[in-house]
Amino acid sequence: MKNLIVSEIGEKRFSIQVDSTQDVGIVDQATVVVRYVQDEAIKERLVAILPVKDATGKGFHELLMSCFDMLGLDFQRIAGESFDGAANMRSAYVGLRAQIAKVVPDAVYIWCYSHILNLCVSDCCQVLEAKNFFGLLNRLATFIGDSHKRMNIWKDQLDRRHGQEKLLKLQKIGETRWWAKEKALNWIFGEKQSLYFDTFEVLYEVLYVISQSNLFESKTTSEASSLFHNLCQFRIILTANIFLQVFDVIGPVSKYLQTSGLDFKVAWQMVERAVEQLKKIDFNNLKQKAEHFAIKTNELMDESDVLNSLEVETMLPVRRVARKKRLAGESSHDERPEDEMQCFRASVFRPILDQIIQSMTERFSENKQLVMDSHYLDPRTFQKIRTDPKVLDGGALERISKLAKVNECSLKTELISFANLFPSLTGCLSEDETQKVEIIIDEEEEEIDWIPPTDKLVEVQKESKCGSCKQCFLCCHRLLIKYNLYSAAYENLSITYEYLLTLSFTQVSCERAFSKLKLIKTRLRATMGQELLDALMLMSV
């Protein structure tokens, strides 16, 4: 299998993805994935899983060099590298990025887009109200899930209402699960869940029953009562609706960034579109949804034999205005908005939205010149080039021509010619080759193989097998190969397209391999040898 992968790469350039994790045997295992273009497809292949003895940038570099020597791959042909944001990977001085740059100066370093987006979500969750909110969701999941007696009450309530045969648990929020916050939120507050309001009511009943029961210790009943009263607060419901809107926007982007063989131009466009949609989130609309949720929940509670005497807040309570003593000579005093809703908007809603917008704008700005150059190679820009070829004057394509190692003037000439020829060539592509893909995602194992629906942000074809969307780099590359235009007429253009398709903007293939590692090297196989593990991992992935 390794020989086949190496033979497919041949003399072409490739990108690498590297990440490490600790297995059940307390061994730090590094997965090495290569991304390359073969014929008309983008391929991401696991080539090795290696034990890490030195976790520094230099240690990882030596490990990669020995791995590539064994495989027979030329280290100098690395076009790009994608890692997470860890210091031993990302550091410009001592990280793996710096070590590779000493050997391959023109290798493009790309901070994994999936990790960046996860960090952007983490940034906005540092707002105090957001911390308290997700802390509450985690407390709820932990409180109910950590005791079989409490779980029995939870199961009985679900079974009584919905006849649930499968055990449904609340989602705990961990730092390593990218989707944990979204799932925990949607399970209780999300409209897309099948139970929706009933889940909220069931949770209320469970907490209320535990808080009033003599079967539990005082510590348990006190915790249940505290959780119950926190859930009744309108601030919590408002905050939940803010993050529901945020996750509705960035959810499809996050899932697309976790696919293998993604088109980085599409990924960049989805990020930009997501930022624009975040800016359009309306606070008044959120307020109406939160009020509707609270009113509907109260109606359901009125029908309950247990909760009919209780009520969820439908507005923010008026707080006492803090009075500060003025010093001698002061004529002004601190003013606070009299409207509690406006105060919430200024202290919670705006900081959350502003933080995630700022984080996405700043963190995704790296390699911006490369993305700008690639814009001219996008088929959707060809009409503009045909109308006015002078758009390629100046510094256009300068950066990408250096990285792809082609002549800039020749590349511009070939691009203008290809842009004029493109409409006649695309008519020959078969429309029936476009594949409609269902979403298949196993979140528990982080096995991801899906493409977002076309009505979301950008029309995207099936991973690395697009043939007739006529709007992506892969379609252009396929046309050049299909009509044998890459050999002479458009040699520089063909090399540039292949280079762009080779670049890896995420390293989620490494993360996906870790899921297989957990299934293969289990507690009962903790002493498995490295050679056997490498072989089983290669076959499984």
Side-chain angles (χ1 to χ4, degrees):
M1 291 173 70
K2 290 183 179 180
N3 288 338
L4 178 60
I5 293 170
V6 172
S7 66
E8 285 183 345
I9 296 174
E11 298 299 319
K12 295 190 289 289
R13 299 177 75 181
F14 57 88
S15 292
I16 60 170
Q17 303 172 22
V18 182
D19 201 1
S20 65
T21 189
Q22 183 175 288
D23 65 19
V24 71
I26 323 298
V27 178
D28 195 19
Q29 301 282 2
T31 52
V32 182
V33 174
V34 294
R35 174 182 168 121
Y36 57 95
V37 178
Q38 193 213 8
D39 296 331
E40 301 173 4
I42 302 168
K43 296 191 176 182
E44 291 183 358
R45 296 283 185 256
L46 177 73
V47 292
I49 178 164
L50 307 165
V52 180
K53 296 179 181 178
D54 180 4
T56 64
K58 185 177 180 181
F60 270 104
H61 179 252
E62 292 174 353
L63 195 66
L64 278 178
M65 291 290 285
S66 62
C67 172
F68 280 30
D69 286 342
M70 287 189 294
L71 292 171
L73 287 173
D74 185 0
F75 205 80
Q76 297 283 345
R77 293 207 305 275
I78 293 179
E81 45 193 298
S82 181
F83 314 131
D84 59 19
N88 61 344
M89 296 288 185
R90 188 170 180 264
S91 173
Y93 302 101
V94 294
L96 177 57
R97 165 192 185 179
Q99 301 297 326
I100 293 178
K102 293 177 182 177
V103 182
V104 193
D106 60 347
V108 177
Y109 166 73
I110 298 166
W111 189 354
C112 174
Y113 274 22
S114 294
H115 283 86
I116 291 178
L117 189 58
N118 188 48
L119 287 173
C120 293
V121 175
S122 298
D123 288 344
C124 75
C125 290
Q126 297 307 307
V127 176
L128 182 59
E129 196 72 31
K131 279 185 176 180
N132 293 337
F133 173 71
F134 285 109
L136 175 63
L137 296 187
N138 197 45
R139 282 174 60 200
L140 283 167
T142 304
F143 177 75
I144 293 177
D146 284 1
S147 165
H148 70 277
K149 291 172 66 177
R150 283 168 263 171
M151 275 300 298
N152 286 337
I153 297 176
W154 170 256
K155 288 188 289 186
D156 290 343
Q157 291 291 339
L158 285 176
D159 185 60
R160 182 170 63 84
R161 287 177 172 275
H162 307 287
Q164 295 285 348
E165 296 181 358
K166 183 180 178 181
L167 175 61
L168 299 176
K169 295 183 179 180
L170 296 177
Q171 175 64 46
K172 294 182 180 179
I173 299 176
E175 295 299 324
T176 58
R177 298 281 187 176
W178 294 341
W179 42 263
K181 288 184 176 70
E182 182 180 3
K183 186 176 180 182
L185 175 64
N186 279 317
W187 176 238
I188 299 176
F189 295 95
E191 296 182 31
K192 296 178 182 177
Q193 298 300 322
S194 57
L195 305 181
Y196 191 26
F197 296 111
D198 286 4
T199 305
F200 204 65
E201 188 189 355
V202 168
L203 191 55
Y204 267 137
E205 285 197 5
V206 170
L207 293 174
Y208 185 74
V209 168
I210 294 174
S211 68
Q212 302 296 316
S213 175
N214 295 324
L215 300 176
F216 297 94
E217 298 176 354
S218 59
K219 180 181 177 181
T220 302
T221 57
S222 175
E223 177 71 2
S225 180
S226 172
L227 292 170
F228 177 83
H229 289 296
N230 279 330
L231 277 180
C232 288
Q233 295 179 12
F234 192 63
R235 294 179 70 86
I236 293 296
I237 298 174
L238 262 177
T239 307
N241 277 271
I242 292 173
F243 279 100
L244 282 172
Q245 287 283 325
V246 169
F247 286 128
D248 279 348
V249 172
I250 68 173
V253 184
S254 176
K255 293 186 177 83
Y256 178 63
L257 292 178
Q258 295 174 56
T259 59
S260 58
L262 63 84
D263 185 324
F264 87 88
K265 180 65 176 177
V266 171
W268 183 271
Q269 289 172 338
M270 292 180 77
V271 170
E272 288 185 326
R273 199 77 64 89
V275 171
E276 293 302 317
Q277 289 188 356
L278 287 171
K279 292 178 181 178
K280 296 177 182 178
I281 293 179
D282 181 47
F283 180 73
N284 291 326
N285 184 39
L286 291 175
K287 175 174 169 280
Q288 291 175 3
K289 288 184 176 180
E291 290 172 346
H292 172 68
F293 184 95
I295 293 171
K296 184 66 177 178
T297 303
N298 281 331
E299 290 175 357
L300 291 172
M301 290 170 67
D302 290 340
E303 300 171 2
S304 170
D305 297 333
V306 180
L307 304 173
N308 53 15
S309 61
L310 304 172
E311 186 179 21
V312 176
E313 291 179 358
T314 56
M315 64 178 67
L316 293 174
V318 178
R319 296 186 179 184
R320 184 182 70 85
V321 178
R323 304 291 183 185
K324 293 184 180 180
K325 183 178 180 180
R326 283 181 286 174
L327 300 176
E330 283 187 334
S331 59
S332 62
H333 56 84
D334 295 333
E335 293 184 358
R336 183 172 177 270
E338 294 182 2
D339 186 354
E340 289 294 331
M341 198 60 71
Q342 291 303 318
C343 183
F344 182 90
R345 184 180 187 277
S347 62
V348 180
F349 173 73
R350 284 283 19 129
I352 291 174
L353 266 292
D354 290 346
Q355 182 60 63
I356 192 168
I357 290 170
Q358 179 185 353
S359 294
M360 291 181 69
T361 303
E362 291 178 355
R363 291 183 183 273
F364 282 97
S365 62
E366 199 168 356
N367 297 308
K368 191 170 185 178
Q369 187 58 49
L370 175 61
V371 175
M372 290 175 63
D373 280 357
S374 69
H375 173 72
Y376 296 106
L377 296 162
D378 191 327
R380 284 162 286 197
T381 313
F382 287 175
Q383 175 63 39
K384 191 175 182 180
I385 295 175
R386 288 195 293 269
T387 305
D388 182 17
K390 292 183 178 180
V391 296
L392 297 178
D393 292 347
L397 303 178
E398 180 181 354
R399 169 72 171 158
I400 202 169
S401 61
K402 289 180 180 178
L403 293 172
K405 300 179 180 179
V406 297
N407 182 272
E408 182 183 343
C409 294
S410 299
L411 177 60
K412 290 180 179 179
T413 303
E414 292 178 11
L415 179 57
I416 294 171
S417 173
F418 185 70
N420 286 290
L421 184 63
F422 188 76
S424 59
L425 293 177
T426 52
C428 302
L429 288 175
S430 174
E431 290 292 341
D432 59 4
E433 290 180 10
T434 303
Q435 301 189 34
K436 302 298 180 183
V437 186
E438 296 180 354
I439 297 176
I440 304 172
I441 174 167
D442 183 356
E443 291 174 327
E444 288 300 322
E445 297 299 337
E446 292 185 347
E447 303 269 350
I448 300 167
D449 182 15
W450 79 287
I451 288 297
T454 55
D455 61 346
K456 278 293 180 185
L457 297 175
V458 180
E459 183 169 353
V460 183
Q461 303 298 332
K462 188 175 180 181
E463 164 237 321
S464 75
K465 294 182 180 178
C466 175
S468 57
C469 76
K470 307 175 187 177
Q471 294 183 348
C472 68
F473 299 144
L474 193 57
C475 275
C476 294
H477 185 256
R478 183 189 177 207
L479 282 171
L480 293 171
I481 293 176
K482 181 176 181 180
Y483 297 107
N484 199 29
L485 299 172
Y486 64 93
S487 57
Y490 300 105
E491 181 180 4
N492 294 289
L493 186 62
S494 178
I495 292 172
T496 306
Y497 274 123
E498 185 171 310
Y499 173 80
L500 284 173
L501 294 171
T502 299
L503 291 179
S504 178
F505 278 71
T506 68
Q507 44 89 268
V508 292
S509 291
C510 295
E511 304 286 349
R512 193 176 291 110
F514 294 156
S515 297
K516 294 294 185 184
L517 177 61
K518 292 177 184 177
L519 297 176
I520 293 172
K521 192 169 183 179
T522 62
R523 180 178 60 84
L524 299 178
R525 303 189 189 122
T527 59
M528 179 186 296
Q530 192 66 32
E531 186 177 353
L532 176 59
L533 176 63
D534 184 66
L536 293 177
M537 279 288 295
L538 197 69
M539 289 186 288
S540 179
V541 174

